[in-house]
Amino acid sequence: VSLQPAAGAHGEMTGLMMIEAYHRERGEDRRVVLAPDSAHGTNPASCTICSMTSTKVRSRSDGKVDLDDLRSKVDENTAALMITNPNTCGVFDDQIADIAEILHDNGALLYYDGANMNATLGIIRPGDVGVDVMHFNTHKTFSTPHGGGGPGAGPVGVTEKLSPYLPKPQVVRHSDGTFGWEYNKPKSIGRVRSFYGQGGVL
């Protein structure tokens, strides 16, 4: 986890930067990010800021992702799918593990937008259903102040395979049980904020 991002959209940018670094290290130039038409509105903007292209995936009449449309759009250029779950229609897509499998089978990653995480807190664990990276909207889920760059916070959590790319410095636990900063992270995307995160809010 990195506590540096100052807001949810800043967390999205951070997550996409790590996804790009992951694919680049594997020698792949994947620049297409899929997003369901029910996704959070900041997703396409974050893609643009990270020099990626956003492609829409259709939803069915029940508000869930059309898996056939998803399969038809995932290819060697796909970096990830950004999904908000529950989506902006208020529907929890219980196909989430199937969605993750479709992406992973094609070398792509699953980004979970934490905008509506308050509806699933304590019910599901994103890592268990195949999520690779997600941000937490602390103002929505934990009632912290809201504000990009000010009092806001948008921490990002990742799976083990993406952890080398987390912003540095990273908090680590030493063998004697104490905590400290780890700056020696050669694969890190670097700082995304001038300090370590909004400690007072968090």
Side-chain angles (χ1 to χ4, degrees), residues 7-185:
H10 194 195
E12 286 181 20
M13 181 197 80
T14 303
L16 287 170
M17 288 171 67
M18 287 187 283
I19 288 169
E20 193 274 334
Y22 168 81
H23 289 305
R24 183 171 12 99
E25 190 188 13
R26 293 161 55 89
E28 299 177 344
D29 185 28
R30 293 177 177 247
R31 293 281 166 186
V32 177
V33 177
L34 306 177
D37 53 18
S38 60
H40 200 240
T42 55
N43 295 169
S46 295
C47 293
T48 300
I49 285 193
C50 292
S51 301
M52 294 177 163
T53 303
S54 177
T55 299
K56 181 172 68 176
V57 176
R58 286 195 308 265
S59 294
R60 303 186 315 230
S61 59
D62 62 1
K64 299 178 183 180
V65 170
D66 183 328
L67 295 184
D68 291 332
D69 191 50
L70 173 62
R71 288 186 187 97
S72 74
K73 291 177 177 170
V74 177
D75 60 23
E76 68 279 359
N77 297 312
T78 306
L81 170 82
M82 297 182 83
I83 189 168
T84 308
N85 199 25
N87 59 35
T88 52
C89 303
V91 176
F92 178 78
D93 197 327
D94 55 9
Q95 308 171 112
I96 188 69
D98 296 324
I99 291 168
E101 184 176 8
I102 291 168
L103 294 164
H104 294 158
D105 285 349
N106 288 276
L109 301 176
L110 180 57
Y111 185 100
Y112 200 97
D113 185 320
N116 298 332
M117 179 184 150
N118 52 312
T120 60
L121 196 65
I123 299 172
I124 70 160
R125 296 195 316 172
D128 291 346
V129 295
V131 172
D132 296 293
V133 54
M134 75 175 291
H135 75 268
F136 314 103
N137 290 88
T138 57
H139 65 285
K140 294 178 178 178
T141 308
F142 304 109
S143 302
T144 70
H146 178 264
V156 174
V158 300
T159 57
E160 194 67 34
K161 68 183 174 185
L162 287 178
S163 64
Y165 310 100
L166 281 165
K168 63 180 180 182
Q170 293 176 11
V171 176
V172 294
R173 184 194 296 262
H174 299 300
S175 58
D176 63 358
T178 61
F179 292 90
W181 298 112
E182 176 59 70
Y183 289 88
N184 185 23
K185 295 286 184 178

